[in-house]
Amino acid sequence: MPHALTRAAVLDRAKADGTQRTVPASLSSETPVKRGYEVEILRHDLASIDMTRAIDGLPLLFNHDRAEPIGVVENVRLENRRLVGMLRFGMSAKATEVWNDVQSGVLKH
């Protein structure tokens, strides 16, 4: 079975808002990542990223599960050659479970 290739959002828990159930996150960067025999470097400029998909927010997925989104990623933008956004967690049981793990420090990415 091929090895799964992943990236993880980096959460800024110090700026989490418990009332709004939001936390800012770095979604991607130009940090080199080893992918098998090659190194992947994502380009972060307006010519390389189609930001139109993010205008109304993007689905917030847990473990890339498209069948059960747990919230929305809002205010997606480029900042210092990184893609950043605000994660807003929904009210479903799964979203609440993940939000609680983010707040307690169990989930950092």
Side-chain angles (χ1 to χ4, degrees):
M1 177 187 295
H3 177 38
L5 303 177
T6 63
R7 286 189 180 257
V10 179
L11 306 178
D12 189 351
R13 287 184 41 248
K15 295 181 182 174
D17 181 333
T19 304
Q20 298 295 314
R21 293 169 62 109
T22 59
V23 62
S26 175
L27 307 173
S28 64
S29 72
E30 292 185 343
T31 301
V33 175
K34 188 169 178 162
R35 299 286 192 206
Y37 296 104
E38 298 179 346
V39 174
E40 175 186 64
I41 301 173
L42 301 177
R43 297 173 102 186
H44 283 72
D45 56 63
L46 289 176
S48 302
I49 300 174
D50 179 3
M51 298 292 284
T52 59
R53 291 182 6 187
I55 290 172
D56 293 326
L58 299 170
L60 176 57
L61 306 177
F62 186 70
N63 288 335
H64 289 103
D65 184 358
R66 294 179 184 174
E68 189 178 6
I70 60 170
V72 64
V73 184
E74 301 172 315
N75 194 22
V76 178
R77 65 201 180 281
L78 285 171
E79 232 176 55
N80 301 319
R81 304 199 69 85
R82 293 179 312 132
L83 191 65
V84 298
M86 183 66 71
L87 310 184
R88 182 165 50 95
F89 290 77
M91 300 303 287
S92 70
K94 182 64 177 181
T96 298
E97 174 186 333
V98 175
W99 171 248
N100 289 339
D101 285 346
V102 167
Q103 283 195 304
S104 70
V106 171
L107 291 176
K108 296 175 174 66
H109 300 93

